Amino acid sequence: MTTTQPQPSSPAMQNGASTPPMASGAPQAGVQSGSQPMMPSAPQAGPAVSNGEIMHFASALREIGPLSSKMRTEAMQKGVSKAKQQALEQTYAKDVHGILAKNDLSASTYEMLMRKAHSDPQFAQKVEAAIKSGA
């Protein structure tokens, strides 16, 4: 199963990390290098999201950001073989899915919330506030 890799649109949601496309099916937090944040003119309607889901999403983003940075740094080191890169991607995907499970999020819910953060600036602000609060 191939899934799309939505990225957060705000600096706080990026956690200072950009994430290249890696393991298929693994949600990623970060913005691909060279991409521009999506800034729609009006919020798109989407499913209602509870405060609890926002908190779980924010918690997952806080954990995934440093993990993404670490994996990317290791994978991009000079002389790293394709086999080692693939092993890092597999470990990353497993770790991300563990983080999502710990935060009561499925991969599809995480991706839906990431898309909503891109298309709904008010929702993105709520997520940023939750990330900053550390709750």
Side-chain angles (χ1 to χ4, degrees):
M1 177 174 103
T2 302
T3 57
T4 58
Q5 304 299 322
Q7 295 98 32
S9 60
S10 63
M13 291 174 61
Q14 292 171 12
N15 292 327
S18 61
T19 304
M22 288 295 189
S24 178
Q28 298 176 3
V31 172
Q32 294 179 12
S33 59
S35 68
Q36 296 294 319
M38 297 172 50
M39 300 303 287
S41 57
Q44 294 181 353
V49 180
S50 71
N51 284 338
E53 284 178 306
I54 291 172
M55 297 311 241
H56 289 292
F57 182 56
S59 178
L61 287 173
R62 278 193 306 270
E63 291 183 64
I64 291 170
L67 180 66
S68 295
S69 294
K70 179 182 176 203
M71 187 276 307
R72 191 178 45 263
T73 298
E74 290 178 22
M76 298 300 175
Q77 288 180 359
K78 191 172 184 171
V80 173
S81 69
K82 289 241 186 236
K84 175 70 173 174
Q85 287 177 345
Q86 288 175 342
L88 288 167
E89 291 170 13
Q90 289 174 350
T91 300
Y92 171 78
K94 184 179 122 193
D95 291 347
V96 166
H97 285 287
I99 290 168
L100 295 180
K102 182 173 79 170
N103 287 288
D104 297 321
L105 295 169
S106 67
S108 61
T109 300
Y110 176 85
E111 291 174 6
M112 178 274 299
L113 293 171
M114 197 63 88
R115 281 190 300 274
K116 186 169 178 69
H118 272 284
S119 64
D120 184 343
Q122 290 176 337
F123 177 73
Q125 288 176 347
K126 288 179 184 178
V127 173
E128 284 184 52
I131 289 170
K132 288 177 183 176
S133 75

